[in-house]
């Protein structure tokens, strides 16, 4: 038996990936006031990646146009750090597996 094999869990079918995407978008909408217009989740072995598009609020887009993107990045980093337990819990609930690492940028 290969020790590097992923632990048993649900297959990463379209429904599972879609559920993860929807949960992440919903958390953004609930806690940031705006969800992504597009989201896609990829699953490879034990790696889950969700890509969100068009997540900036109107005020954030205004700041970016005013060359204050660093301010938006700082606030977003603080938000993502605060929301990490919620994002982890959603993925764990959907996959039935423990999240061991979280990255967001």
């Amino acid at each position: 038996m290969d020790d590097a094999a992923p632990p048993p869990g649900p297959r990463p079918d379209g429904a599972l990936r879609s559920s993860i995407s929807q949960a992440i978008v919903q958390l953004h909408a609930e806690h940031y006031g705006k969800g992504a217009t597009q989201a896609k989740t990829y699953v490879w072995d034990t790696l889950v990646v969700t890509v969100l598009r068009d997540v900036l609020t109107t005020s954030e887009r205004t700041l970016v146009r005013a060359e204050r993107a660093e301010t938006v990045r700082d606030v977003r980093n603080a938000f993502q750090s605060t929301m990490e337990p919620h994002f982890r819990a959603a993925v764990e609930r959907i996959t039935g597996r423990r999240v061991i690492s979280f990255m967001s940028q």
Side-chain angles (χ1 to χ4, degrees):
M1 181 161 151
D2 182 4
D3 290 333
R11 286 186 45 235
D13 62 7
L16 180 103
R17 293 189 313 267
S18 178
S19 293
I20 293 170
S21 293
Q22 289 173 11
I24 299 301
V25 169
Q26 182 178 353
L27 284 167
H28 265 265
E30 288 174 4
H31 294 275
Y32 222 104
K34 181 185 184 312
T37 58
Q38 294 179 352
K40 186 162 185 173
T41 297
Y42 303 89
V43 179
W44 299 277
D45 295 327
T46 61
L47 175 67
V48 176
V49 176
T50 300
V51 178
L52 304 176
R53 300 205 189 286
D54 189 26
V55 295
L56 296 180
T57 65
T58 302
S59 62
E60 290 171 329
R61 284 193 303 271
T62 300
L63 286 168
V64 169
R65 281 192 302 271
E67 299 182 10
R68 301 288 307 268
E70 190 64 37
T71 300
V72 174
R73 191 173 299 112
D74 291 345
V75 171
R76 283 282 170 156
N77 283 337
F79 170 74
Q80 292 161 0
S81 175
T82 300
M83 289 299 298
E84 179 179 350
H86 301 279
F87 293 136
R88 282 176 173 263
V91 172
E92 288 176 347
R93 176 181 45 79
I94 294 165
T95 64
R97 296 173 62 184
R98 187 172 70 86
V99 172
I100 58 171
S101 182
F102 171 84
M103 295 184 307
S104 180
Q105 193 52 236

